[in-house]
Amino acid sequence: MERIPLVKKATFTHFLNLFYELKGSRDLHLLPYAIESSDAEFLPQVVFAELLQSLRTLLGDQLFLVTLKKHISLLQKSGDKLSLEAMFSESCFNRLHVSETSLGTLFSLHSVYSVKEATHTCFEEELFALFVLEFLIQDTVNSLSITGFCFTHSNDALLDTWHDTYGAAIYLGQASAGITLSQCDSDLQRQIMMLNYPERLSFEHSFQYALEGYIGRQNFSLSEFACVLGIPSRTLQENLQRCGTNFRSIKDKLNVRFAKRVLLQYDISIYDLSIQLGYSAPSQFVRAFKRLTQETPYQWKRKNFIHGQ
């Protein structure tokens, strides 16, 4: 079943803070919500791709190439394994395959998410995934010699600076992105293939994770959120129906989760909270809250505030 490609919020936040630091401003059009205050664990991969493209525009090709690799290395050295998992768990690049080719031993990146076929993977995120893979391979077997990088894109101006920075060959227009090694026996192949993670998320849960970061910050309709993801709204709707749910149900569930946190942390009226969550009237919010918790927001807050004292 299809899923929404995601990246870890920790990975996104690292590069977002880098962008803010380099630009000297916290103004970024693609983030109309306060990501720092979100409890979301993931964000849609397409939003991370936009961030990488913005970073490249800010830095220029050569400096972007060097900076990207440097900060992936910093993430690795910090021991933030959850950040490095981002490209091998819930993203468009979450399965490693190994094969022997005329180029040498090829470790190629694939996806178990067929939604990827309906989305466009930009060059910058493909480059990011390859650099992550490079560090993971080198971490696994230090003695291996990487001989080439394979890109699905036929060309990109950034690659004009590649040989000034790296000695490895470039192979363009390949069937999948990947890295070639001069040699790799079966034991080493097994070690690297252990980097694969088991398939975990259903479509419903991946959709929920993708939407969660926007709750209380931007009131999307299904069609508007489909535009953010770059996936047809009909495709999203059909997959949610196959899971026995719909956009409104998932959004109400996330709204209630957000409301519980806000009710305990802030002195906010039910009216203001319902407006923040996009309900046209407080009564709609109260009905949704009671349907999922069997209590009104006021009853839930009173009970849980007292228990929390």
Side-chain angles (χ1 to χ4, degrees):
M1 179 167 290
E2 299 173 343
R3 293 162 180 78
I4 308 298
L6 306 166
V7 295
K8 289 280 188 177
K9 177 188 168 185
T11 302
F12 183 93
T13 303
H14 178 93
F15 285 93
L16 178 63
N17 289 335
L18 172 64
F19 181 90
Y20 287 153
E21 178 185 341
L22 293 171
K23 189 177 181 182
S25 166
R26 298 182 71 80
D27 175 35
L28 190 57
H29 71 89
L30 63 95
L31 288 174
Y33 59 96
I35 183 63
E36 292 90 345
S37 65
S38 169
D39 280 350
E41 184 182 359
F42 294 95
L43 288 171
Q45 183 173 329
V46 66
V47 180
F48 182 57
E50 291 183 55
L51 174 59
L52 291 178
Q53 290 173 325
S54 298
L55 190 59
R56 177 181 176 181
T57 300
L58 179 68
L59 294 175
D61 288 351
Q62 186 164 12
L63 188 55
F64 172 73
L65 195 67
V66 174
T67 301
L68 187 63
K69 190 163 186 177
K70 173 186 174 182
H71 280 267
I72 291 173
S73 175
L74 289 174
L75 280 173
Q76 183 198 37
K77 290 176 182 177
S78 72
D80 193 355
K81 297 302 182 183
L82 290 179
S83 293
L84 291 178
E85 275 185 24
M87 287 299 166
F88 295 93
S89 53
E90 315 305 341
S91 77
C92 282
F93 308 100
N94 59 0
R95 283 296 178 272
L96 277 169
H97 292 177
V98 61
S99 57
E100 295 298 332
T101 71
S102 59
L103 304 176
T105 303
L106 171 64
F107 285 90
S108 53
L109 292 167
H110 298 265
S111 175
V112 296
Y113 297 172
S114 54
V115 147
K116 178 176 182 290
E117 298 171 2
T119 62
H120 174 66
T121 304
C122 72
F123 177 82
E124 291 81 5
E125 57 186 320
E126 190 169 274
L127 181 65
F128 180 87
L130 286 176
F131 280 165
V132 171
L133 177 58
E134 177 188 16
F135 277 107
L136 289 174
I137 288 176
Q138 290 176 340
D139 229 19
T140 304
V141 188
N142 293 324
S143 61
L144 284 182
S145 174
I146 293 175
T147 58
F149 290 79
C150 299
F151 294 90
T152 61
H153 294 256
S154 58
N155 199 11
D156 190 279
L158 186 147
L159 295 175
D160 293 340
T161 66
W162 182 275
H163 287 295
D164 296 334
T165 312
Y166 307 102
I170 303 171
Y171 304 105
L172 302 174
Q174 301 299 305
S176 58
I179 286 178
T180 59
L181 307 175
S182 56
Q183 58 180 3
C184 185
D185 62 30
S186 58
D187 287 338
L188 297 184
Q189 290 179 13
R190 278 194 295 271
Q191 288 183 52
I192 296 175
M193 291 299 291
M194 287 176 65
L195 296 172
N196 274 328
Y197 292 88
E199 187 176 334
R200 294 182 293 181
L201 293 182
S202 65
F203 178 85
E204 178 182 355
H205 286 117
S206 70
F207 186 89
Q208 181 174 307
Y209 277 127
L211 181 60
E212 186 174 16
Y214 296 88
I215 296 298
R217 295 161 179 84
Q218 194 154 351
N219 183 32
F220 284 128
S221 65
L222 176 60
S223 60
E224 289 169 339
F225 192 54
C227 288
V228 171
L229 298 176
I231 299 171
S233 57
R234 184 175 179 179
T235 300
L236 296 178
Q237 189 173 30
E238 288 174 351
N239 277 278
L240 290 173
Q241 287 174 347
R242 281 198 287 269
C243 295
T245 188
N246 55 56
F247 180 74
R248 182 73 261 171
S249 295
I250 289 178
K251 193 173 180 182
D252 280 343
K253 184 188 301 183
L254 293 174
N255 281 344
V256 168
R257 182 185 300 172
F258 178 90
K260 286 180 177 179
R261 180 167 65 89
V262 172
L263 285 168
L264 291 180
Q265 293 179 357
Y266 303 97
D267 183 17
I268 185 172
S269 70
I270 300 302
Y271 175 83
D272 288 341
L273 184 53
S274 65
I275 297 302
Q276 183 177 357
L277 290 171
Y279 293 97
S280 58
S283 58
Q284 288 185 339
F285 167 59
V286 172
R287 282 197 297 271
F289 194 100
K290 190 170 183 179
R291 185 173 64 252
L292 292 170
T293 67
Q294 286 73 56
E295 298 174 301
T296 67
Y298 175 77
Q299 290 169 335
W300 184 91
K301 178 177 181 177
R302 187 179 178 197
K303 182 178 72 176
N304 286 276
F305 183 78
I306 291 173
H307 289 168
Q309 296 297 303

